[in-house]
Amino acid sequence: MKFLVTVKRVTDYEAKIKLKADKSGIVTDGVNMIMNPFDEIGVEEALRQKEKHGGEVVVVTLGTTDAVAQLRSALAMGADRAILVRSDAALDSFAVAQVLAKVVEKEKPDVVLMGKQAIDDDSNQASQILAELLGWGQATFANTINIDGRTATVVREADGGLETVSTTLPAVISTDLRLNEPRYASLPGIMKAKKKPLEEVDIATLGVDLAPKVKLIGFEEPAAKKAGQKVADVATLLEKLKTEAKVL
Amino acid sequence: MATHLIVVEHSAGKLVKATLAAVAAAQKVGGDIYAVVLGQGVAGVAAEIAPYVKKVQVGEHEGLKDRLAQPWAKVIADAATGAGITHVWGAATGAGKDLLPRVAARLNAGMASDISAVVDDRTFKRPMWAGNITGTVEITTAKKVVSVRPTEFTPPAPGAAGEIGSIDVDPGVSKMSWVKFDAVVSDRPALSDARVVVSGGRGLKGPEGFKTIIEPLADALGAAIGASRAVCDAGWVPNDWQVGQTGKVVAPELYIAVGISGAIQHVAGMKGSKCIVAINKEPEAPIFQIADYGLVADLFKVVPELTAAIKASRG
Ligand SMILES: Cc1cc2nc3c(=O)[nH]c(=O)nc-3n(C[C@H](O)[C@H](O)[C@H](O)COP(=O)(O)OP(=O)(O)OC[C@H]3O[C@@H](n4cnc5c(N)ncnc54)[C@H](O)[C@@H]3O)c2cc1C
């Protein structure tokens, strides 16, 4: 069973995100970069599935050479090899999915595992677009994945409860928070990762039309919420909710 | 001139109200608004959405009985091809998030996710980085797909009922099948459209805390219950209760955060609430920065007091 896991380099979820003075984007100087947490869950899941079914775990990222750090993290967790599709331009979700479709064509994975969203742009689109471009089944927001032969049965975190769907393989599955708890890379894992194969592909060689369908044309900080007040006790709170906020 | 197609979400034979936010957003662009209702036995849903649109297209088919992204996306894309449709809209609910990007892929269209504002027919604002930044995005393709954050758009008033017609649908070949749904059973209002939400965090110490502290307060207020990620992860409460960047976005009139620190990922899902109350024993907890009213106290002491006082005042 072959797993292709997508990995995105994103700003740390603990970082304080600020706008640049000229509002052309966010300040990245001095901001720690990490593997998108949902992708980390994807890597972990692929490793666990490989432990059960055997096979190979390939991780792929699209980005600048800086993203090699995140590929190495995935390799240190246990992935077998990595692919960097080098792109200096920011890409929209559609372009990302088109590029991934090319990688899939070449790698022929049984399962593509992706994070349900990247915690920077919060778009939640790429896995669904990829599934459609490939004509594959999709199972988004996975809570539990059971692979049996050529079928994946996936419990999904849906509105109002847990939905179970199944899809024939190959398929695209996107991860939700409760799918697993990613392991930490061990020291030997980190050492080994340095020697694992990492292939670099120039995005221009893939023959994908990268013209954005969605352009990010402006950034602003949302209006700050005005500071509230501390209240001394329950009686005061109740009084204020009734007479000041008028919500009770 | 824009012509819109609203993807109507329904559950257990009823219109999901978040769909009306998509109608409201489409109205901001202007132009004719159509709706598409898919499934089996959905005449009631069609009648519910009709007063908000010019025409409802009903696609009934055995292969659409369960909402599965692959066949649904095909049929919606078919309905959006021709007929001059320029925009496809839906709610950014779990179901919408699953389905709409797949529709965009099929239409070769750009998609704006989870928008919070309409600037013009191609330009939209949307929260990014857990709501730390509002981005403006422009869709450059002729057809446009947009998912709408339900809390950011007020449902429109109903008008004269639009015409209801049926369309021929072909769900195509699907690799997916539906197995089952395990619903979170609750008598309380749904989190997404409750007037009051009481949310609990790790400060409750365990599932017992939800039972003995949160539930009585929610019952006294007729409120829905929400939670932080930490307690969903811990299995104290259903995952479906998670409020935040990667869970549900809510904007009730009153949001009471109990034993929640106020991490940015949580705040992203509730800062639009009209009135926020925070109860936390730590005076420096970040939740107080966005709370209208903060009570620094031990929740195990003050929440039962609050519950009792509310009950007393309501007789
Ligand atoms: C990728 C990613 C996505 C995430 N998405 C979300 C999301 O959508 N929603 C979300 O909520 N989180 C999300 N998080 C997690 C978030 O970063 C925080 O870890 C989480 O919100 C913390 O939950 P908490 O406030 O319950 O716990 P804590 O941060 O541990 O806070 C507990 C609070 O309880 C208070 N307390 C303890 N005892 C008492 C007492 N007796 N009386 C009163 N107060 C007390 C403490 O002072 C503390 O402030 C995400 C994280 C990541 C990495």
Side-chain angles (χ1 to χ4, degrees):
Chain A
M1 185 110 347
K2 185 163 171 180
F3 299 89
L4 181 70
V5 188
T6 59
V7 163
K8 186 179 182 186
R9 174 180 168 90
V10 298
T11 48
D12 192 335
Y13 55 85
E14 289 190 336
K16 176 88 195 85
I17 302 298
K18 288 207 191 78
L19 210 52
K20 284 184 190 159
D22 66 358
K23 300 197 169 186
S24 62
I26 62 149
V27 176
T28 47
D29 281 355
V31 172
N32 188 41
M33 302 297 284
I34 60 167
M35 185 191 321
N36 180 38
F38 288 99
D39 299 344
E40 215 168 21
I41 295 171
V43 174
E44 176 65 33
E45 189 63 22
L47 295 173
R48 291 188 193 186
Q49 295 289 346
K50 180 187 154 178
E51 281 156 22
K52 263 192 235 157
H53 303 282
E56 188 185 18
V57 176
V58 181
V59 290
V60 58
T61 194
L62 284 70
T64 64
T65 44
D66 288 342
V68 165
Q70 280 64 45
L71 288 176
R72 291 282 176 214
S73 303
L75 293 171
M77 285 172 72
D80 299 298
R81 61 189 173 86
I83 302 167
L84 165 69
V85 179
R86 211 184 54 250
S87 161
D88 294 329
L91 302 170
D92 66 1
S93 302
F94 212 111
V96 167
Q98 285 175 299
V99 168
L100 290 173
K102 291 285 179 191
V103 175
V104 166
E105 226 171 77
K106 178 159 177 279
E107 292 289 335
K108 299 186 173 52
D110 300 286
V111 177
V112 179
L113 274 161
M114 300 175 70
K116 78 164 177 179
Q117 74 195 73
I119 61 164
D120 50 3
D121 64 32
D122 284 335
S123 280
N124 195 336
Q125 295 186 9
S127 68
Q128 299 90 320
I129 295 174
L130 177 64
E132 180 58 33
L133 294 179
L134 297 168
W136 292 4
Q138 76 183 41
T140 53
F141 323 151
N143 175 281
T144 313
I145 301 172
N146 231 305
I147 297 174
D148 186 6
R150 297 305 295 167
T151 305
T153 303
V154 178
V155 181
R156 309 179 52 242
E157 295 207 6
D159 300 321
L162 293 171
E163 181 184 55
T164 308
V165 298
S166 70
T167 170
T168 54
L169 299 185
V172 179
I173 301 178
S174 84
T175 63
D176 215 320
L177 295 167
R178 265 68 61 170
L179 181 57
N180 60 48
E181 224 175 290
R183 70 195 65 187
Y184 290 102
S186 64
L187 198 56
I190 294 168
M191 299 311 291
K192 265 202 236 160
K194 292 182 180 155
K195 295 196 202 87
K196 286 182 178 172
L198 193 153
E199 178 192 357
E200 202 175 306
V201 178
D202 182 347
I203 197 164
T205 63
L206 294 175
V208 172
D209 174 12
L210 299 171
K213 291 179 164 52
V214 180
K215 281 191 201 156
L216 195 45
I217 58 172
F219 299 90
E220 60 199 290
E221 272 168 11
K225 205 169 178 304
K226 58 159 183 43
Q229 47 182 304
K230 294 247 170 78
V231 293
D233 51 36
V234 166
T236 317
L237 174 62
L238 207 53
E239 186 57 28
K240 298 234 178 218
L241 290 177
K242 279 183 183 158
T243 57
E244 209 173 78
K246 300 192 170 61
V247 288
L248 284 184
Chain B
M1 189 63 167
T3 306
H4 309 281
L5 185 66
I6 309 290
V7 177
V8 177
E9 191 179 328
H10 52 89
S11 168
K14 286 249 176 334
L15 174 73
V16 171
K17 269 208 264 166
T19 303
L20 298 179
V23 176
Q27 285 179 346
K28 291 199 191 260
V29 173
D32 285 343
I33 302 180
Y34 298 83
V36 59
V37 182
L38 304 183
Q40 250 193 337
V42 290
V45 179
E48 273 190 272
I49 194 71
Y52 300 94
V53 298
K54 186 164 184 206
K55 184 166 180 191
V56 186
Q57 303 177 327
V58 181
E60 301 235 8
H61 195 287
E62 165 74 27
L64 300 173
K65 182 163 58 73
D66 308 305
R67 183 182 46 232
L68 287 168
Q70 192 169 23
W72 277 53
K74 175 178 183 297
V75 171
I76 292 163
D78 288 348
T81 306
I85 301 290
T86 53
H87 292 68
V88 177
W89 304 80
T93 53
K97 288 173 179 175
D98 178 49
L99 174 62
L100 293 163
R102 193 147 185 155
V103 175
R106 208 157 168 104
L107 290 170
N108 204 25
M111 171 171 170
S113 295
D114 204 13
I115 65 155
S116 54
V118 173
V119 179
D120 58 36
D121 68 342
R122 67 198 53 207
T123 318
F124 309 93
K125 295 194 179 190
R126 53 179 306 270
M128 303 173 73
W129 280 279
N132 275 303
I133 302 291
T134 305
T136 304
V137 295
E138 183 193 331
I139 303 181
T140 62
T141 49
K143 282 198 200 294
K144 299 166 180 68
V145 178
V146 187
S147 71
V148 173
R149 179 170 283 206
T151 53
E152 299 290 335
F153 294 87
T154 312
E163 180 194 334
I164 298 177
S166 65
I167 51 169
D168 287 333
V169 289
D170 170 15
V173 182
S174 171
K175 310 282 170 65
M176 304 171 61
S177 46
W178 188 85
V179 179
K180 65 170 178 164
F181 184 63
D182 297 308
V184 175
V185 192
S186 164
D187 302 334
R188 295 200 181 78
L191 187 51
S192 306
D193 37 51
R195 203 187 68 82
V196 181
V197 173
V198 179
S199 270
R202 194 141 51 189
L204 285 147
K205 305 278 186 280
E208 271 309 298
F210 268 84
K211 285 245 158 358
T212 58
I213 303 288
I214 296 293
E215 286 186 14
L217 178 58
D219 289 341
L221 289 164
I225 301 183
S228 70
R229 174 193 169 179
V231 305
C232 294
D233 283 8
W236 300 355
V237 300
N239 300 331
D240 178 52
W241 289 6
Q242 181 185 318
V243 170
Q245 177 195 16
T246 60
K248 282 203 169 52
V249 176
V250 302
E253 277 180 42
L254 174 60
Y255 187 94
I256 306 182
V258 179
I260 290 179
S261 61
I264 184 73
Q265 292 85 6
H266 185 80
V267 169
M270 46 66 82
K271 68 178 173 188
S273 306
K274 313 290 170 296
C275 177
I276 298 171
V277 171
I279 299 174
N280 195 304
K281 69 175 180 191
E282 173 55 61
E284 300 303 321
I287 191 79
F288 289 124
Q289 290 165 19
I290 57 134
D292 297 285
Y293 302 105
L295 181 56
V296 180
D298 179 359
L299 68 90
F300 292 98
K301 176 172 174 289
V302 297
V303 176
E305 277 176 36
L306 181 61
T307 305
I310 289 166
K311 275 191 184 153
S313 75
R314 300 207 161 170

